[in-house]
Amino acid sequence: MDIEAIAKAIEADAGEALPDLRQALEEAQAGMGRVTTAEQILVRSARAQSGLSQPAFAERIATPVATLRDWEQGRFAPPGGVLCLLRLIVRHPELMDEMSAA
């Protein structure tokens, strides 16, 4: 990866110099940067939308709290069925109330 060429292209798009950009690109190349996946964002969004703590949310979706933490921290991705449930929760937060009655 040509860090200088990439940095120049990004700065040209931004229309300004970005002083920390080269360091960030070097860290990314070295694998030091943090990567957030779409799945992590979805898990965090669904829980935030519910207003529940990790233990309460995990109980509500019948999942061990350690598993929920793994999903939120990106160690593992939730299976497809859980992703579908989380998308529904984000779009329809009132479903959490129905889930507690089950």
Side-chain angles (χ1 to χ4, degrees):
M1 167 164 61
D2 184 350
I3 291 175
E4 189 59 32
I6 294 169
K8 285 181 180 179
I10 292 171
E11 289 175 333
D13 276 351
E16 63 181 303
L18 302 170
D20 297 327
L21 179 60
R22 284 158 185 80
Q23 179 182 347
L25 289 170
E26 288 171 6
E27 289 174 4
Q29 185 177 31
M32 294 169 38
R34 176 183 289 178
V35 175
T36 302
T37 65
E39 291 86 359
Q40 280 177 275
I41 293 168
L42 179 60
V43 173
R44 292 174 188 170
S45 296
R47 189 170 67 82
Q49 189 105 7
S50 74
L52 298 173
S53 65
Q54 282 182 335
F57 188 80
E59 183 179 331
R60 192 74 58 95
I61 64 169
T63 300
V65 71
T67 300
L68 177 65
R69 284 187 188 120
D70 286 341
W71 293 342
E72 285 191 0
Q73 294 173 7
R75 286 191 285 269
F76 300 102
V82 174
L83 292 172
C84 183
L85 173 64
L86 295 172
R87 285 185 193 101
L88 286 169
I89 291 169
V90 167
R91 290 186 185 126
H92 305 283
E94 69 277 4
L95 290 175
M96 290 302 291
D97 296 333
E98 292 183 34
M99 292 174 68
S100 66

